[in-house]
Amino acid sequence: MNGAELLVSALENEGVEQIFGIPGEENLDVVEALRRSRIKLVLTRHEQAAAFMAATHGRLTGKPGVCLATLGPGALNFTTGAAYALLGAMPMVTITGQKGILSRKQARFQVVDIVSTMTPLTKMARQIASPAIIPSLVREAFRVAQQERPGPVHLELPEDIAHEPGPDIAPVPPHPIDPPIAPRAALDRAAELIIEAKRPLIMLGAAASRPRLADALSQFVARVKVPFFNTQMGKGAVTGGSHLYMGTAALSERDYVHRAIDQADLIISIGHDTVEKPPFFMGPGGPTVLHVGYLPATVEEVFFPQAELVGDVGPSLTLLADRLEGKLPRAQALLGLRDDILSHIAEGAEESRWPPTPQRIVRDVRQAVPEDGIVCLDNGMYKIWFARNYRTHVANTLLLDNALATMGAGLPSAIMAACLNPGRRVLAVCGDGGFMMNSQEMETAVRLKLNLVVLVLEDHAYGMIRWKQATDGFPDFGLTFGDPDFVAYAKAYGAKGNRVETADGLAPALEAAFAAGGVRLVVTPVDYSENKRVLVDELRANAVDKAQGVA
Ligand SMILES: Cc1ncc(C[n+]2csc(CCOP(=O)(O)OP(=O)(O)O)c2C)c(N)n1
Ligand SMILES: [Mg+2]
């Protein structure tokens, strides 16, 4: 076997079924080995999209997604995807080619130091310097990518090592690993803290959304019956339990959900990862925070838990619930705030103005997407509205990125979600800015014959930055642009497009797009005047009222 064959056989051994990317000439031995393997090569139209797709595979399955690119320019296009997976804790393995390392027939043509480039963007970055190390190195790469805290790993396979015959070494078989559960003393201590709390509140953070945690976490919430809120990336971590849901901390302060946070005396923070924009600010006199996580908490200026329960979160929570069930008479002390918080959040959902408001758009999307449907957001102003207003009932049904918060990942992540869940409705929601950053992947979606709806929100602007510009008191400048005719654009890819023309048109347009199947684009204008009215003026007034004891 040559190096490429050893690599592909090691990937098969890891259960890899598909690889996303764009080969270059340095990968041709790998492409040939893939041709003769069980693994499907899925071409994308930009390497960045391939990396977003591979990362989302890791996010949704817990198993590393794999992407492939050539050296230099192709490899560099993986950097944003690597950062997305690193900050978002998504297991992924990126593989790139390189010129030969045993001789240099092309001098330095296209050669940049990719291993050094990827080192700060990954958990591990290695060049494969001989075929013999491939089986063990690939096993190590997958182990490192997958273990807590998950993330990306980079392997560089130079073309001569790919071509070089190597020893017939069998791949290293993976085995199940059960990470350690929190020790008894820590469980007892955490239980005591919770039992003593007068107004406890659970916060679900990004790591609460790990796919293998959904059942144990949902049971924990159902057993202890303490109300919960979530961070943006902790959204939808719990299946059911919606009568205990207090809201989402899409902003860091002043939102209605902060009424509960501010009144809590203990926050049981499950899986919070400080890569997220802070869900609230810790400070003197604030609630005690108990960190429950796979790994110890990181200490930040705004987050410094006073107690920790560290270990495999699912089994640890089960043991914690054993200690708590039926012993928390004050579990629901804050639940009384729930109706008020949620009714404020729901305001404007029925609004019939044209163009539609973000609140109305969120409501219409919720109507068209069944409970198990998956909504994948790009990055823009609407992300705050979806995080705040969209209700999830099933784990991992709202995928958003509040870590790197990169534009351009919405469509690729939805393509991956649709590949993995052919029977479920999948919707990408993108701004007219972010959509255009990877819209070429419409072709990939059409070629893969996916059922996928893409909703484009058109404000002819980088709306979120325009909003920040306005709220910071700057004049309106430099953030607007023209758009293509999105309906014609979709058609050019062999997809179907539809423009929403009336206030009541969005929900039926989405329903029709889902019902018809295939790749569909729906474009609607959006009225972003609510950004300032609600997220700035109303919440500021609300905070002043509260400080003066009015609310
Ligand atoms: C790759 C990247 N570039 C720039 C930004 C900064 N940024 C955040 S939101 C945003 C505007 C997004 O515009 P659009 O996609 O049209 O959504 P809108 O806010 O208008 O709804 C920009 C430029 C970013 N997060 N990622
Ligand atoms: Mg926009």
Side-chain angles (χ1 to χ4, degrees):
M1 287 208 268
N2 65 18
E5 290 162 338
L6 281 164
L7 175 75
V8 170
S9 128
L11 295 174
E12 281 183 330
N13 178 58
E14 297 293 336
V16 174
E17 288 171 2
Q18 43 194 348
I19 295 185
F20 306 92
I22 304 179
E25 62 181 291
E26 291 70 22
N27 308 115
L28 286 175
D29 276 295
V30 175
V31 172
E32 171 56 16
L34 284 173
R35 186 180 69 82
R36 290 184 278 108
S37 79
R38 293 194 303 271
I39 301 173
K40 189 172 154 197
L41 174 63
V42 178
L43 288 189
T44 60
R45 309 308 300 269
H46 196 297
E47 291 88 352
Q48 188 187 81
F52 288 149
M53 286 159 70
T56 305
H57 180 285
R59 178 180 193 174
L60 284 175
T61 66
K63 290 186 166 182
V66 183
C67 52
L68 174 75
T70 189
L71 78 176
L76 290 168
N77 281 344
F78 275 171
T79 53
T80 306
Y84 173 77
L86 185 71
L87 266 64
M90 307 177 198
M92 163 165 90
V93 174
T94 58
I95 301 169
T96 58
Q98 186 52 284
K99 293 290 178 201
I101 49 173
L102 304 176
S103 72
R104 285 218 158 185
K105 297 259 168 16
Q106 296 198 3
R108 282 188 287 167
F109 177 60
Q110 286 193 305
V111 174
V112 283
D113 183 350
I114 294 299
V115 172
S116 295
T117 304
M118 293 300 260
T119 297
L121 301 174
T122 55
K123 293 178 77 180
M124 167 182 138
R126 295 275 170 79
Q127 182 181 72
I128 301 174
S130 90
I133 61 167
I134 289 175
S136 53
L137 193 55
V138 170
R139 180 77 278 270
E140 176 68 357
F142 276 73
R143 191 184 67 78
V144 170
Q146 205 163 350
Q147 76 191 9
E148 286 292 336
R149 180 180 182 272
V153 166
H154 180 69
L155 296 178
E156 178 182 80
L157 181 62
E159 63 177 333
D160 49 5
I161 306 300
H163 198 68
E164 175 110 341
D168 269 355
I169 309 174
V172 183
H175 53 256
I177 301 177
D178 298 307
I181 298 170
R184 181 175 300 176
L187 285 160
D188 289 345
R189 241 181 3 250
E192 198 178 326
L193 198 62
I194 298 169
I195 289 170
E196 279 169 11
K198 295 192 177 60
R199 294 173 307 281
L201 192 59
I202 292 174
M203 175 173 90
L204 305 176
S209 298
R210 300 278 193 272
R212 69 195 173 90
L213 182 56
D215 289 345
L217 183 63
S218 306
Q219 277 164 26
F220 175 78
V221 171
R223 286 176 69 191
V224 302
K225 300 186 178 60
V226 172
F228 69 91
F229 71 103
N230 46 253
T231 67
Q232 292 194 30
M233 289 178 85
K235 190 141 182 132
V238 164
T239 299
S242 53
H243 59 289
L244 295 168
Y245 169 74
M246 301 287 283
T248 299
L251 306 171
S252 301
E253 57 184 345
R254 288 198 196 140
D255 206 346
Y256 295 103
V257 70
H258 293 95
R259 290 183 178 180
I261 298 171
D262 293 346
Q263 287 191 32
D265 65 341
L266 175 71
I267 293 187
I268 307 158
S269 163
I270 301 176
H272 180 47
D273 190 329
T274 55
V275 292
E276 282 205 81
K277 189 185 274 189
F280 67 97
F281 297 123
M282 284 185 73
T288 299
V289 172
L290 165 66
H291 165 83
V292 181
Y294 293 98
L295 299 173
T298 46
V299 173
E300 312 279 349
E301 202 178 322
V302 293
F303 189 75
F304 42 89
Q306 296 91 340
E308 304 200 25
L309 184 65
V310 179
D312 196 5
V313 175
S316 301
L317 285 178
T318 305
L319 293 174
L320 187 61
D322 291 345
R323 287 162 168 77
L324 298 176
E325 203 171 2
K327 294 196 188 135
L328 299 177
R330 296 183 293 262
Q332 307 205 335
L334 293 173
L335 198 61
L337 298 172
R338 178 175 182 274
D339 286 351
D340 191 46
I341 294 172
L342 295 187
S343 66
H344 275 297
I345 297 291
E347 276 164 18
E350 312 285 328
E351 177 82 54
S352 59
R353 112 169 60 138
W354 178 254
T357 58
Q359 300 93 310
R360 175 72 195 265
I361 290 173
V362 171
R363 196 210 64 165
D364 287 3
V365 166
R366 186 64 279 184
Q367 271 186 3
V369 176
E371 287 201 348
D372 71 345
I374 302 175
V375 174
C376 301
L377 304 184
D378 204 275
N379 259 277
M381 194 62 219
Y382 52 87
K383 187 178 81 177
I384 294 182
W385 290 104
F386 271 84
R388 207 171 167 261
N389 294 29
Y390 190 76
R391 292 290 300 276
T392 53
H393 307 284
V394 175
N396 285 305
T397 50
L398 180 69
L399 298 192
L400 57 78
D401 165 22
N402 186 34
L404 185 65
T406 179
M407 294 164 74
L411 177 59
S413 62
I415 289 177
M416 191 68 248
C419 285
L420 289 169
N421 300 282
R424 288 159 74 173
R425 287 188 172 184
V426 178
L427 177 74
V429 180
C430 306
D432 47 1
F435 174 67
M436 292 304 289
M437 286 199 183
N438 270 319
S439 60
Q440 75 286 343
E441 302 306 325
M442 290 290 281
E443 191 282 317
T444 307
V446 169
R447 177 166 25 95
L448 294 177
K449 300 191 169 51
L450 298 179
N451 291 321
L452 175 65
V453 180
V454 181
L455 174 63
V456 178
L457 307 180
E458 188 172 51
D459 66 339
H460 298 281
Y462 292 119
M464 179 150 195
I465 311 303
R466 201 178 182 201
W467 170 65
K468 275 266 166 204
Q469 187 181 49
T471 55
D472 289 353
F474 290 109
D476 185 14
F477 172 75
L479 289 163
T480 57
F481 47 67
D483 277 324
D485 173 345
F486 284 116
V487 173
Y489 189 72
K491 198 166 158 219
Y493 284 108
K496 294 250 164 45
N498 186 11
R499 174 170 287 278
V500 178
E501 311 273 7
T502 63
D504 294 326
L506 177 58
L510 289 172
E511 182 55 40
F514 280 123
V519 180
R520 305 262 158 174
L521 183 149
V522 175
V523 54
T524 180
V526 54
D527 177 353
Y528 270 153
S529 59
E530 291 291 271
N531 296 338
K532 182 166 180 307
R533 192 191 67 79
V534 177
L535 300 181
V536 180
D537 301 343
E538 183 181 309
L539 295 185
R540 202 170 276 163
N542 166 41
V544 171
D545 283 354
K546 210 180 65 177
Q548 294 170 350
V550 178

